[in-house]
Amino acid sequence: MNSKPARVRFAPSPTGRLHLGGARTALYDYLLARATGGQFILRIEDTDRKRYQPEAEAEFVRALRWLGLEWDEGPDIGGPYGPYRQSERKEIYQRYAWELVERGHAYPCFCSAERLQKVREEQKRRKESIRYDGHCRNIPPAEARARVEAGERHVIRFKMPREGQVVCRDALRGEIVYDNANLDDSILVKSDGLALYHLASMVDDHLMEITHVLRGSEWLPTFPLHVHIYQAFGWEQPEWVHLSVFLKPSGKGKMSKREAANLMKDGRSIFITDLEAMGYLPEATINWIALMGWSYDDRTEFFTLDDLVQKFSIRKLNPAPAAINFSKFDHFNGLHIRALPLDDLMRRVRPFFERAGYQVDDEKLRQIMPILQPRLKTLSDAPEVAGFFFEDRAEPDPQRLLGKRLTPAQALAAARRLRAMIDEWPDLSQETGEAPVRALAAEMNVKAGDLFALLREAVTGRPVSPPIFDTMVILGRETVLQRLDRAIEILAAMEN
Ligand code: GLU
């Protein structure tokens, strides 16, 4: 058990959809909160109104719920530290921005876009690093205040010390030391009065008493700014945890929007709600992403969410980049499908049959669960593997009825014999049926495999299916005979 109860937040910007990286951050947040008896908070960072997407928040909520990561405080359920949407906290950031100005750690900047553009071009020309040149840094505070009060357009910038160093502690990387001289006077509040992440997130984390900030390592470059802001306010810093980056499946280069679009062409997706539609289980998704950047003992691979709560600790997080491995995902999905109670599997697989257009009969669905369960990689495989159980008839493919080597005449003769045998068997089980089919093959001097292929094609209309005898037991003798009759018809037509 980790010591003190942790307060952790997942703070997505509603500018897109929840992807694997975000889901992993949310998972680790959740695990840390649950492992320590603390709280998991959902905060919506919607201050960037240009990139704001109105459907995004609902999509995040749906995806997180599907994963089973329930939060204790959030915009939809409230809580003692609300509001939990940054667009509803504008005044708070204003107040804190001006507190920094008063303490001499920030200043209003009145530079026009044109001026800043010129400065940038000049810096580029001189091959200097691009940054604010400090033009408004030393305007006397009273004068600056008067200009603001007179309504002059301005932003608020952080007044970065020009000398010295800042020591930033990351839980996975230890101390990282930055030279202040290389840091910029970043904007904290834009001219429309809205705070940027650098201010809003720090203020919220402080006010919401967040103990651990888990976030992507894309925040490492601005990490020193964030530490400076905490120090300028005189606040105690949270534990900072910058998680590993995700690499493309090839391991070459970071995962990007472009790569995500490429993956879609291969039928893969990094978006959580897509994974649901593709027939992945939330349990498998959780298991897979948990291990992209964390390990328990390097051996155990199967974890439920409860196991993870028991075993999670941030000490075992690994900052090394992790390549997204979709075959591993398929593997985990198979494991979790096989771990489901049949009732549960039945409930989950049903919509996939229905979406594929099958009328699902409950009794039959229940019967096929044991033979379906070991064969599914994703739930969406189910109609392909077992849809024929719900079809009135199977339309066999004439060529496939011949297996690898039968002539139409042989196949027709075999189909007639099989029909007669099956009509006589006491039941359709493998114990009853296998030996006679093999004996028939020997008698006809053909391969048993070809007779099984013929039988399979006739009964299911597919070249692969669950074990043929199990399948016939569930379909029932009447249906099997009808389907054989149809195959005989087709073969007779071929023969002529
Ligand atoms: N809104 C930020 C993002 O989406 C959150 C980063 C953080 O967790 O601090 O990247």
Side-chain angles (χ1 to χ4, degrees), residues 78-98:
Y81 296 80
Y84 294 92
R85 247 181 235 111
Q86 289 190 329
S87 55
E88 294 162 27
R89 301 172 64 82
K90 210 173 141 180
E91 292 71 31
I92 302 179
Y93 310 132
Q94 277 289 338
R95 216 167 58 233
Y96 281 94
W98 281 99

PDB file of all heavy atoms in Angstrom, residues 78-98:
ATOM      1  N   GLY A  78     -19.597  16.990  -9.778  1.00  0.00           N
ATOM      2  CA  GLY A  78     -19.240  18.012  -8.809  1.00  0.00           C
ATOM      3  C   GLY A  78     -18.212  17.520  -7.800  1.00  0.00           C
ATOM      4  O   GLY A  78     -17.532  16.523  -8.048  1.00  0.00           O
ATOM      5  N   GLY A  79     -18.151  18.202  -6.662  1.00  0.00           N
ATOM      6  CA  GLY A  79     -17.156  17.863  -5.654  1.00  0.00           C
ATOM      7  C   GLY A  79     -16.742  19.117  -4.916  1.00  0.00           C
ATOM      8  O   GLY A  79     -17.072  20.222  -5.337  1.00  0.00           O
ATOM      9  N   PRO A  80     -16.021  18.956  -3.816  1.00  0.00           N
ATOM     10  CA  PRO A  80     -15.703  20.093  -2.946  1.00  0.00           C
ATOM     11  C   PRO A  80     -14.690  21.081  -3.516  1.00  0.00           C
ATOM     12  O   PRO A  80     -14.480  22.137  -2.934  1.00  0.00           O
ATOM     13  CB  PRO A  80     -15.141  19.415  -1.681  1.00  0.00           C
ATOM     14  CG  PRO A  80     -14.703  18.063  -2.114  1.00  0.00           C
ATOM     15  CD  PRO A  80     -15.563  17.667  -3.275  1.00  0.00           C
ATOM     16  N   TYR A  81     -14.048  20.741  -4.636  1.00  0.00           N
ATOM     17  CA  TYR A  81     -13.024  21.644  -5.174  1.00  0.00           C
ATOM     18  C   TYR A  81     -13.426  22.249  -6.526  1.00  0.00           C
ATOM     19  O   TYR A  81     -12.587  22.691  -7.272  1.00  0.00           O
ATOM     20  CB  TYR A  81     -11.691  20.911  -5.328  1.00  0.00           C
ATOM     21  CG  TYR A  81     -11.076  20.426  -4.034  1.00  0.00           C
ATOM     22  CD1 TYR A  81     -11.525  19.257  -3.415  1.00  0.00           C
ATOM     23  CD2 TYR A  81     -10.028  21.131  -3.425  1.00  0.00           C
ATOM     24  CE1 TYR A  81     -10.955  18.797  -2.235  1.00  0.00           C
ATOM     25  CE2 TYR A  81      -9.449  20.682  -2.243  1.00  0.00           C
ATOM     26  CZ  TYR A  81      -9.922  19.508  -1.655  1.00  0.00           C
ATOM     27  OH  TYR A  81      -9.352  19.060  -0.497  1.00  0.00           O
ATOM     28  N   GLY A  82     -14.715  22.222  -6.848  1.00  0.00           N
ATOM     29  CA  GLY A  82     -15.168  22.663  -8.160  1.00  0.00           C
ATOM     30  C   GLY A  82     -15.079  24.152  -8.348  1.00  0.00           C
ATOM     31  O   GLY A  82     -14.659  24.861  -7.426  1.00  0.00           O
ATOM     32  N   PRO A  83     -15.497  24.686  -9.490  1.00  0.00           N
ATOM     33  CA  PRO A  83     -15.896  23.906 -10.670  1.00  0.00           C
ATOM     34  C   PRO A  83     -14.717  23.156 -11.298  1.00  0.00           C
ATOM     35  O   PRO A  83     -13.571  23.532 -11.101  1.00  0.00           O
ATOM     36  CB  PRO A  83     -16.441  24.960 -11.636  1.00  0.00           C
ATOM     37  CG  PRO A  83     -16.003  26.282 -11.118  1.00  0.00           C
ATOM     38  CD  PRO A  83     -15.620  26.132  -9.697  1.00  0.00           C
ATOM     39  N   TYR A  84     -15.044  22.113 -12.063  1.00  0.00           N
ATOM     40  CA  TYR A  84     -14.010  21.250 -12.624  1.00  0.00           C
ATOM     41  C   TYR A  84     -13.820  21.455 -14.127  1.00  0.00           C
ATOM     42  O   TYR A  84     -13.241  20.638 -14.805  1.00  0.00           O
ATOM     43  CB  TYR A  84     -14.332  19.778 -12.319  1.00  0.00           C
ATOM     44  CG  TYR A  84     -14.264  19.495 -10.833  1.00  0.00           C
ATOM     45  CD1 TYR A  84     -15.389  19.597 -10.027  1.00  0.00           C
ATOM     46  CD2 TYR A  84     -13.045  19.150 -10.231  1.00  0.00           C
ATOM     47  CE1 TYR A  84     -15.321  19.362  -8.662  1.00  0.00           C
ATOM     48  CE2 TYR A  84     -12.964  18.916  -8.870  1.00  0.00           C
ATOM     49  CZ  TYR A  84     -14.107  19.024  -8.093  1.00  0.00           C
ATOM     50  OH  TYR A  84     -14.024  18.792  -6.737  1.00  0.00           O
ATOM     51  N   ARG A  85     -14.391  22.564 -14.614  1.00  0.00           N
ATOM     52  CA  ARG A  85     -14.158  22.948 -16.009  1.00  0.00           C
ATOM     53  C   ARG A  85     -13.424  24.280 -15.976  1.00  0.00           C
ATOM     54  O   ARG A  85     -13.906  25.226 -15.356  1.00  0.00           O
ATOM     55  CB  ARG A  85     -15.502  23.136 -16.710  1.00  0.00           C
ATOM     56  CG  ARG A  85     -15.789  22.133 -17.779  1.00  0.00           C
ATOM     57  CD  ARG A  85     -17.116  22.381 -18.455  1.00  0.00           C
ATOM     58  NE  ARG A  85     -17.919  21.175 -18.388  1.00  0.00           N
ATOM     59  CZ  ARG A  85     -19.021  21.012 -17.678  1.00  0.00           C
ATOM     60  NH1 ARG A  85     -19.490  22.005 -16.944  1.00  0.00           N
ATOM     61  NH2 ARG A  85     -19.660  19.863 -17.691  1.00  0.00           N
ATOM     62  N   GLN A  86     -12.291  24.361 -16.642  1.00  0.00           N
ATOM     63  CA  GLN A  86     -11.488  25.577 -16.513  1.00  0.00           C
ATOM     64  C   GLN A  86     -12.193  26.800 -17.073  1.00  0.00           C
ATOM     65  O   GLN A  86     -11.958  27.910 -16.600  1.00  0.00           O
ATOM     66  CB  GLN A  86     -10.126  25.367 -17.178  1.00  0.00           C
ATOM     67  CG  GLN A  86      -9.260  24.406 -16.359  1.00  0.00           C
ATOM     68  CD  GLN A  86      -7.824  24.339 -16.843  1.00  0.00           C
ATOM     69  OE1 GLN A  86      -7.561  24.505 -18.032  1.00  0.00           O
ATOM     70  NE2 GLN A  86      -6.901  24.079 -15.939  1.00  0.00           N
ATOM     71  N   SER A  87     -13.071  26.600 -18.061  1.00  0.00           N
ATOM     72  CA  SER A  87     -13.775  27.769 -18.603  1.00  0.00           C
ATOM     73  C   SER A  87     -14.662  28.416 -17.531  1.00  0.00           C
ATOM     74  O   SER A  87     -15.051  29.569 -17.659  1.00  0.00           O
ATOM     75  CB  SER A  87     -14.616  27.364 -19.812  1.00  0.00           C
ATOM     76  OG  SER A  87     -15.496  26.316 -19.460  1.00  0.00           O
ATOM     77  N   GLU A  88     -14.957  27.681 -16.465  1.00  0.00           N
ATOM     78  CA  GLU A  88     -15.782  28.246 -15.391  1.00  0.00           C
ATOM     79  C   GLU A  88     -14.921  28.817 -14.259  1.00  0.00           C
ATOM     80  O   GLU A  88     -15.429  29.153 -13.193  1.00  0.00           O
ATOM     81  CB  GLU A  88     -16.720  27.154 -14.841  1.00  0.00           C
ATOM     82  CG  GLU A  88     -17.739  26.694 -15.870  1.00  0.00           C
ATOM     83  CD  GLU A  88     -18.384  25.348 -15.517  1.00  0.00           C
ATOM     84  OE1 GLU A  88     -18.465  25.014 -14.311  1.00  0.00           O
ATOM     85  OE2 GLU A  88     -18.792  24.640 -16.452  1.00  0.00           O
ATOM     86  N   ARG A  89     -13.600  28.895 -14.481  1.00  0.00           N
ATOM     87  CA  ARG A  89     -12.704  29.330 -13.406  1.00  0.00           C
ATOM     88  C   ARG A  89     -11.879  30.552 -13.824  1.00  0.00           C
ATOM     89  O   ARG A  89     -10.850  30.858 -13.212  1.00  0.00           O
ATOM     90  CB  ARG A  89     -11.761  28.174 -13.032  1.00  0.00           C
ATOM     91  CG  ARG A  89     -12.491  26.930 -12.562  1.00  0.00           C
ATOM     92  CD  ARG A  89     -11.558  25.740 -12.382  1.00  0.00           C
ATOM     93  NE  ARG A  89     -10.552  25.911 -11.345  1.00  0.00           N
ATOM     94  CZ  ARG A  89     -10.762  25.712 -10.055  1.00  0.00           C
ATOM     95  NH1 ARG A  89     -11.945  25.324  -9.618  1.00  0.00           N
ATOM     96  NH2 ARG A  89      -9.797  25.907  -9.181  1.00  0.00           N
ATOM     97  N   LYS A  90     -12.370  31.243 -14.834  1.00  0.00           N
ATOM     98  CA  LYS A  90     -11.623  32.348 -15.423  1.00  0.00           C
ATOM     99  C   LYS A  90     -11.186  33.389 -14.379  1.00  0.00           C
ATOM    100  O   LYS A  90     -10.032  33.827 -14.367  1.00  0.00           O
ATOM    101  CB  LYS A  90     -12.550  33.014 -16.453  1.00  0.00           C
ATOM    102  CG  LYS A  90     -11.850  33.638 -17.602  1.00  0.00           C
ATOM    103  CD  LYS A  90     -12.866  34.106 -18.647  1.00  0.00           C
ATOM    104  CE  LYS A  90     -12.390  35.428 -19.202  1.00  0.00           C
ATOM    105  NZ  LYS A  90     -13.296  35.977 -20.216  1.00  0.00           N
ATOM    106  N   GLU A  91     -12.122  33.771 -13.498  1.00  0.00           N
ATOM    107  CA  GLU A  91     -11.814  34.827 -12.520  1.00  0.00           C
ATOM    108  C   GLU A  91     -10.708  34.383 -11.565  1.00  0.00           C
ATOM    109  O   GLU A  91      -9.905  35.188 -11.127  1.00  0.00           O
ATOM    110  CB  GLU A  91     -13.055  35.216 -11.699  1.00  0.00           C
ATOM    111  CG  GLU A  91     -14.136  35.932 -12.504  1.00  0.00           C
ATOM    112  CD  GLU A  91     -14.857  35.013 -13.478  1.00  0.00           C
ATOM    113  OE1 GLU A  91     -14.974  33.806 -13.167  1.00  0.00           O
ATOM    114  OE2 GLU A  91     -15.272  35.485 -14.557  1.00  0.00           O
ATOM    115  N   ILE A  92     -10.732  33.109 -11.235  1.00  0.00           N
ATOM    116  CA  ILE A  92      -9.702  32.596 -10.316  1.00  0.00           C
ATOM    117  C   ILE A  92      -8.314  32.822 -10.917  1.00  0.00           C
ATOM    118  O   ILE A  92      -7.399  33.318 -10.257  1.00  0.00           O
ATOM    119  CB  ILE A  92      -9.920  31.084 -10.050  1.00  0.00           C
ATOM    120  CG1 ILE A  92     -11.314  30.845  -9.471  1.00  0.00           C
ATOM    121  CG2 ILE A  92      -8.825  30.525  -9.145  1.00  0.00           C
ATOM    122  CD1 ILE A  92     -11.651  29.383  -9.202  1.00  0.00           C
ATOM    123  N   TYR A  93      -8.175  32.511 -12.213  1.00  0.00           N
ATOM    124  CA  TYR A  93      -6.847  32.650 -12.836  1.00  0.00           C
ATOM    125  C   TYR A  93      -6.436  34.115 -12.911  1.00  0.00           C
ATOM    126  O   TYR A  93      -5.270  34.456 -12.726  1.00  0.00           O
ATOM    127  CB  TYR A  93      -6.825  32.015 -14.238  1.00  0.00           C
ATOM    128  CG  TYR A  93      -7.367  30.608 -14.267  1.00  0.00           C
ATOM    129  CD1 TYR A  93      -8.304  30.205 -15.215  1.00  0.00           C
ATOM    130  CD2 TYR A  93      -6.945  29.669 -13.320  1.00  0.00           C
ATOM    131  CE1 TYR A  93      -8.806  28.921 -15.238  1.00  0.00           C
ATOM    132  CE2 TYR A  93      -7.452  28.378 -13.325  1.00  0.00           C
ATOM    133  CZ  TYR A  93      -8.391  28.013 -14.290  1.00  0.00           C
ATOM    134  OH  TYR A  93      -8.893  26.743 -14.305  1.00  0.00           O
ATOM    135  N   GLN A  94      -7.421  34.972 -13.197  1.00  0.00           N
ATOM    136  CA  GLN A  94      -7.140  36.413 -13.230  1.00  0.00           C
ATOM    137  C   GLN A  94      -6.557  36.859 -11.896  1.00  0.00           C
ATOM    138  O   GLN A  94      -5.555  37.559 -11.839  1.00  0.00           O
ATOM    139  CB  GLN A  94      -8.442  37.198 -13.482  1.00  0.00           C
ATOM    140  CG  GLN A  94      -8.831  37.289 -14.945  1.00  0.00           C
ATOM    141  CD  GLN A  94      -7.892  38.218 -15.714  1.00  0.00           C
ATOM    142  OE1 GLN A  94      -7.226  39.078 -15.131  1.00  0.00           O
ATOM    143  NE2 GLN A  94      -7.821  38.029 -17.021  1.00  0.00           N
ATOM    144  N   ARG A  95      -7.223  36.450 -10.844  1.00  0.00           N
ATOM    145  CA  ARG A  95      -6.796  36.840  -9.500  1.00  0.00           C
ATOM    146  C   ARG A  95      -5.368  36.395  -9.238  1.00  0.00           C
ATOM    147  O   ARG A  95      -4.533  37.158  -8.779  1.00  0.00           O
ATOM    148  CB  ARG A  95      -7.739  36.193  -8.488  1.00  0.00           C
ATOM    149  CG  ARG A  95      -8.016  37.062  -7.313  1.00  0.00           C
ATOM    150  CD  ARG A  95      -9.176  36.597  -6.460  1.00  0.00           C
ATOM    151  NE  ARG A  95      -9.040  35.259  -5.933  1.00  0.00           N
ATOM    152  CZ  ARG A  95      -9.985  34.304  -6.088  1.00  0.00           C
ATOM    153  NH1 ARG A  95     -11.090  34.558  -6.757  1.00  0.00           N
ATOM    154  NH2 ARG A  95      -9.800  33.108  -5.576  1.00  0.00           N
ATOM    155  N   TYR A  96      -5.070  35.141  -9.590  1.00  0.00           N
ATOM    156  CA  TYR A  96      -3.726  34.623  -9.311  1.00  0.00           C
ATOM    157  C   TYR A  96      -2.681  35.233 -10.236  1.00  0.00           C
ATOM    158  O   TYR A  96      -1.542  35.444  -9.836  1.00  0.00           O
ATOM    159  CB  TYR A  96      -3.709  33.094  -9.359  1.00  0.00           C
ATOM    160  CG  TYR A  96      -4.268  32.510  -8.077  1.00  0.00           C
ATOM    161  CD1 TYR A  96      -5.604  32.163  -7.957  1.00  0.00           C
ATOM    162  CD2 TYR A  96      -3.438  32.363  -6.955  1.00  0.00           C
ATOM    163  CE1 TYR A  96      -6.113  31.664  -6.770  1.00  0.00           C
ATOM    164  CE2 TYR A  96      -3.941  31.858  -5.763  1.00  0.00           C
ATOM    165  CZ  TYR A  96      -5.284  31.506  -5.678  1.00  0.00           C
ATOM    166  OH  TYR A  96      -5.774  31.034  -4.499  1.00  0.00           O
ATOM    167  N   ALA A  97      -3.082  35.552 -11.452  1.00  0.00           N
ATOM    168  CA  ALA A  97      -2.130  36.191 -12.368  1.00  0.00           C
ATOM    169  C   ALA A  97      -1.701  37.538 -11.783  1.00  0.00           C
ATOM    170  O   ALA A  97      -0.518  37.879 -11.747  1.00  0.00           O
ATOM    171  CB  ALA A  97      -2.769  36.384 -13.733  1.00  0.00           C
ATOM    172  N   TRP A  98      -2.685  38.279 -11.291  1.00  0.00           N
ATOM    173  CA  TRP A  98      -2.351  39.590 -10.732  1.00  0.00           C
ATOM    174  C   TRP A  98      -1.591  39.463  -9.427  1.00  0.00           C
ATOM    175  O   TRP A  98      -0.767  40.309  -9.098  1.00  0.00           O
ATOM    176  CB  TRP A  98      -3.605  40.460 -10.611  1.00  0.00           C
ATOM    177  CG  TRP A  98      -3.918  41.023 -11.968  1.00  0.00           C
ATOM    178  CD1 TRP A  98      -4.837  40.567 -12.852  1.00  0.00           C
ATOM    179  CD2 TRP A  98      -3.218  42.094 -12.620  1.00  0.00           C
ATOM    180  NE1 TRP A  98      -4.779  41.263 -14.022  1.00  0.00           N
ATOM    181  CE2 TRP A  98      -3.790  42.230 -13.916  1.00  0.00           C
ATOM    182  CE3 TRP A  98      -2.173  42.952 -12.262  1.00  0.00           C
ATOM    183  CZ2 TRP A  98      -3.346  43.180 -14.827  1.00  0.00           C
ATOM    184  CZ3 TRP A  98      -1.739  43.904 -13.179  1.00  0.00           C
ATOM    185  CH2 TRP A  98      -2.324  44.013 -14.441  1.00  0.00           C
TER     186      TRP A  98
END
